[in-house]
Every structure is written in structure tokens, then in C-alpha cells.
Amino acid sequence: MKKVPHDYYLRFIDASVYEEVLEFHSKGNFTLHKAFQHHTSLHFLDEGHLAQLTGNELVLYPDMDLTVELKLSDEHRKGLLYRNESCERFVPGELEFADVEKLVSPLLSMNTESYKRGYPSGGALYPAEVFLCSLSNECSTWPGAGKILHLLPKSRRFEVMQVETDLEKLKAAILTPPNDIGSPSLALIYVAYMPKNLFKYRYRGYRMALMEIGSIYMLVELQAKSLGLACRLWSAYTDSMLCKVLGLNPALFFPMCVHFIGRQHESY
Ligand SMILES: Cc1cc2nc3c(=O)[nH]c(=O)nc-3n(C[C@H](O)[C@H](O)[C@H](O)COP(=O)(O)O)c2cc1C
């Protein structure tokens, strides 16, 4: 049985490890809903302190001049690999599905014989799942119009998720107001499937899944840049709402991050 059903992994997990990881993970959940918008806040820092505390590099010896300069000119750097800055505001519009295929192509196995993919995975567990949702009203080239797709990187296929997709509900779960991000065309949702993540390396699996998702989104950022597309990672959503629209059990599937893709507004 090489293609095991997803719940087969449950046989091999340690229930106490699973419970503790789930409990820890739940502490990082946001409840973003209009019913709570006047009752909750993320922090009490003022703009001045926020500006002081973010965007910094950590200097370990600030009082000593112990640095060595990098001798790379900006001109020289332009020829080297770098991503674009995150998109500030997306303009509405549909993406050609052929571009969506190119976007995820760096994640696929090089050939259908190899289990290896375009990104490394601790212990070759591959616990990170990628879901694709079109966010535009028109999706003429999208297969199974309006459907959410699940990437199968080895088979090089998309599974069509068996859920009724209501675009407005999907947007409400991912793009909770207020936000000023405009209208991204596509959302990639990076989800860790926890039974597959924890059965072998237990607690350490959690960090490996996060690193795997980081390497996946960086490949997508670079590929998006080469396709002339803009991106923004997004964590302002409520896990359970997102799982509900995807038709996934939130105790098994942890949505770690959303990646918006589209076209940048001209004024930026
Ligand atoms: C894991 C992750 C989650 C993020 N979530 C959000 C988010 O919820 N909202 C947002 O406006 N930006 C989000 N960002 C984008 C960061 O704010 C942005 O990367 C950072 O300000 C640096 O800007 P740059 O990407 O343009 O270099 C996220 C970035 C990462 C890596």
C-alpha cells in the first residue's frame, strides 16, 4: 500500500505528543470575526515603539566595530537571485491557469519516478500540503470553475476538493476586513498535515513542517517574480474558518500561512 489513506498515519502517532503540539499550536490562533472586532486587540504598542522595534537587524556587539564589509555593488546584485518586496495592494483580475501551473512548477518532483520534490523535507515526510483557490469572480481557465485544488507534487496533478465553494465565504475566511490589500487573484494555502508531521520525529516534526513551508513559499516568490506576478504572505485569518471552507478537519490540518498572488497596483 504505497498510496496510504491520510488517516492511516493516525495509527502511528503518540496521542500525548499530538495533544501537546495541538495545544501549543492553538495558542497561536487568531479569532478574526466582526463579532469580536471591538473586544480584541493584538498588542498595545504605539506606532513609535512599533517603528523602533521592527525592521531591525540584530547587532550582537553594538559598541564595537567588529564588522567586515560585503563588497557587492547594488548593480552586481541585480544579476543575482532576489525576490521582490511584498505586494502592498493587488488589482483585481484573473490569472491564466497556465501561469498558475508555472507558479507551482518549482514544487513538483523532477519526474514521476522520483518521490523527491523541488524543496527539501526533513526525513522525506512531506507533511506540507498546498491548496489553491482562485479569488477572482471570473475563472474561465480554472479547471472545475470555482473549485479549490490540492496539489499532488509527485503525480503532477491537482485533486479537486469535494466542497461547495462559495467565493464570498472563502474571501471572508481569508481576507477578513478591515484590510487594505486590494483584490489578490489567487490564494495558495500552506497546510501542515499533523499526523504525517509528528509520527516519526514527534515534537521536532513541528519545526520541520514550518521550515518546509518557508522553503515552499520562497520558491513560489521567486517563480512569481519571473512570471511578473506580485505576492504577499498573510497570517491574518482564523484557522478553523479557513479549514471549514477547505473542508478540512482543523484538528488534523493546520493552515500555517496564506500566500496571495496577483498583480501589483500601478501606484506602488
Ligand atoms: C509568515 C508570514 C506571514 C505574514 N503575514 C502577514 C499578514 O498577515 N499581513 C501582512 O500585511 N503582511 C504579512 N506578511 C508580510 C510581512 O509583513 C512582510 O514580509 C514584511 O513586512 C517585510 O516586507 P517585504 O516582504 O516587502 O520585504 C507576512 C510575512 C510572512 C513571512
Side-chain angles (χ1 to χ4, degrees), residues 2 4-13 18 117 119 121-129 150 153 191-202 205-206 209 212 252-253:
K2 193 59 194 157
V4 293
H6 75 79
D7 45 7
Y8 185 70
Y9 287 92
L10 290 169
R11 284 190 188 199
F12 303 95
I13 56 169
Y18 199 87
R117 304 184 186 177
Y119 52 91
S121 176
L125 299 182
Y126 301 105
E129 302 298 326
H150 170 221
V191 177
Y193 179 55
M194 297 312 286
K196 201 172 188 245
N197 182 212
L198 298 182
F199 81 90
K200 188 175 179 194
Y201 299 121
R202 298 162 58 91
Y206 188 71
E212 183 166 319
L252 303 178
F253 292 86

Side-chain angles (χ1 to χ4, degrees), residues 104 107 127-135 148-151 161 165 170-171 173-175 186-192 213 216-217 220 233-234 237-239 241-248 253-261:
V104 296
L107 312 182
E129 302 298 326
V130 181
F131 295 87
L132 298 90
C133 313
S134 171
L135 298 178
I148 299 173
L149 305 176
H150 170 221
L151 179 66
M161 295 298 287
T165 323
L170 182 62
K171 284 188 184 167
I174 313 183
L175 277 162
L186 172 74
L188 299 180
I189 303 171
Y190 304 121
V191 177
I213 287 170
I216 292 175
Y217 70 55
V220 170
L233 286 152
W234 196 254
Y237 55 84
T238 300
D239 290 21
M241 278 174 76
L242 193 44
C243 282
K244 189 167 183 197
V245 286
L246 295 177
L248 299 174
F253 292 86
F254 294 1
M256 297 297 193
C257 204
V258 173
H259 208 172
F260 290 131
I261 314 286

Side-chain angles (χ1 to χ4, degrees), residues 30 83-88 181 217 221 231-237 256-258:
F30 289 161
R83 73 175 176 116
N84 280 339
E85 286 182 12
S86 298
C87 182
E88 293 290 337
I181 199 72
Y217 70 55
E221 291 262 323
C231 311
R232 186 172 200 100
L233 286 152
W234 196 254
S235 54
Y237 55 84
M256 297 297 193
C257 204
V258 173

Side-chain angles (χ1 to χ4, degrees), residues 97-105 107-108 130-133 141-144 147-162 186 188:
F97 195 71
D99 279 343
V100 176
E101 291 179 329
K102 286 183 197 145
L103 189 69
V104 296
S105 83
L107 312 182
L108 307 178
V130 181
F131 295 87
L132 298 90
C133 313
T141 58
W142 194 268
K147 287 288 182 193
I148 299 173
L149 305 176
H150 170 221
L151 179 66
L152 298 176
K154 181 174 184 291
S155 326
R156 300 201 207 155
R157 305 187 76 83
F158 294 103
E159 264 184 309
V160 180
M161 295 298 287
Q162 299 302 298
L186 172 74
L188 299 180

Side-chain angles (χ1 to χ4, degrees), residues 19-236:
E19 210 168 289
E20 278 190 78
V21 174
L22 180 63
E23 195 184 330
F24 173 74
H25 179 78
S26 304
K27 293 180 203 283
N29 276 338
F30 289 161
T31 304
L32 298 168
H33 191 275
K34 62 177 183 309
F36 298 99
Q37 69 190 16
H38 301 299
H39 303 280
T40 52
S41 74
L42 203 49
H43 59 74
F44 296 98
L45 291 162
D46 57 55
E47 288 300 321
H49 279 109
L50 263 186
Q52 184 192 33
L53 297 171
T54 60
N56 286 331
E57 61 179 5
L58 188 70
V59 181
L60 297 182
Y61 307 106
D63 301 327
M64 299 159 93
D65 185 17
L66 294 173
T67 58
V68 180
E69 194 187 356
L70 259 100
K71 294 197 178 55
L72 274 175
S73 66
D74 286 348
E75 207 44 48
H76 188 189
R77 280 197 64 208
K78 280 193 187 130
L80 303 175
L81 205 56
Y82 68 98
R83 73 175 176 116
N84 280 339
E85 286 182 12
S86 298
C87 182
E88 293 290 337
R89 197 170 165 78
F90 292 95
V91 284
E94 187 188 358
L95 293 187
E96 284 289 316
F97 195 71
D99 279 343
V100 176
E101 291 179 329
K102 286 183 197 145
L103 189 69
V104 296
S105 83
L107 312 182
L108 307 178
S109 297
M110 277 315 282
N111 59 66
T112 46
E113 299 309 310
S114 172
Y115 70 82
K116 298 202 172 184
R117 304 184 186 177
Y119 52 91
S121 176
L125 299 182
Y126 301 105
E129 302 298 326
V130 181
F131 295 87
L132 298 90
C133 313
S134 171
L135 298 178
S136 50
N137 296 321
E138 304 289 315
C139 45
S140 52
T141 58
W142 194 268
K147 287 288 182 193
I148 299 173
L149 305 176
H150 170 221
L151 179 66
L152 298 176
K154 181 174 184 291
S155 326
R156 300 201 207 155
R157 305 187 76 83
F158 294 103
E159 264 184 309
V160 180
M161 295 298 287
Q162 299 302 298
V163 272
E164 282 298 315
T165 323
D166 177 322
L167 186 58
E168 290 316 308
K169 279 196 186 137
L170 182 62
K171 284 188 184 167
I174 313 183
L175 277 162
T176 319
N179 71 71
D180 197 23
I181 199 72
S183 305
S185 310
L186 172 74
L188 299 180
I189 303 171
Y190 304 121
V191 177
Y193 179 55
M194 297 312 286
K196 201 172 188 245
N197 182 212
L198 298 182
F199 81 90
K200 188 175 179 194
Y201 299 121
R202 298 162 58 91
Y203 302 97
R204 205 173 185 82
Y206 188 71
R207 77 165 85 168
M208 290 187 184
L210 296 177
M211 288 191 280
E212 183 166 319
I213 287 170
S215 66
I216 292 175
Y217 70 55
M218 202 59 215
L219 284 173
V220 170
E221 291 262 323
L222 293 171
Q223 184 64 18
K225 181 184 166 194
S226 81
L227 293 167
L229 299 173
C231 311
R232 186 172 200 100
L233 286 152
W234 196 254
S235 54

